[in-house]
Amino acid sequence: MFDYIEQDSFLHRRNPVIKLAMIAVITVIVCLSYFPVLPAVTFLVFFFGTWIAGRIPMRNLLRRLLVFLIISILFMISMLLLRGLNEESEIVVRFWIFGWTRRDFVHAVTLGFRILALITMSMGFVLTTRPGDLLLSLIMQCRLSVVHGYAAMAAYRFLPELQEQIDAIHLAQEIRGIPWNKGIGSRFTSPFRVLLPLLCIAARRGERVACAMESRGMGRKTKRTFYKKMKTNRADWLFLLLSVLGYAVIVWILIKFNAYRFSFASIQ
């Protein structure tokens, strides 16, 4: 779903830790908003920012967001159905056994746009950040242990291969006379038949990683050298400063127009 796209763009050249810090700050602010305007604005800013500053094709972004758009709509519908069963005062819309207040609609729409905003931020980060650069940046800028960094890199690279391993297990079982895509019962029991072989593959992969780490002297106290070094330059810090300040200006404007709230107390 989310794979790194090789490209030469402004976002690709930024230090991964700087981008991660910016996303962490903005995520906290978005999660504190109980009004849909800020999550919607955040979604649009990061969507067009990834398209323009990351040089990711628009069609590619829309294709990746389609599933999460459906998920956010389902979450909104589910929340409205659950809230509609509560008998409250100030109901503005009533349908059959359901009744909704204005607060219910605001809360549901906020949840949907919050999901889209968080997904768009994560997608922009993953599409423009090479996994190896992220781990190197965590090791060099955040002083992450080399052992933990190498293990995390091995696990990160194993995840994209997970679907390929599942497909290989399915084909191997089908050759041996175990159909996995015929009938509802077969589809229901298929994940259980895949689980044990997948655990065996993961154990073998972990053993190879452990041997590779031991052969490279991981865990020693001696100072290690790196083939590639990740550094933070003036452009990275300027990017972080301008991003946070720009987002603070957006929040300030929304507060001035009474469109950013921490609670529903002021909703009429």
Side-chain angles (χ1 to χ4, degrees), residues 3 26 104 161 205 249 253:
D3 297 319
I26 294 177
D104 295 333
E161 301 175 5
R205 180 68 175 268
V249 170
I253 293 174

Side-chain angles (χ1 to χ4, degrees), residues 90-95 98-101 105:
E90 301 180 357
I91 292 178
V92 295
V93 176
R94 183 174 291 278
F95 175 74
F98 302 100
W100 297 283
T101 63
F105 287 107

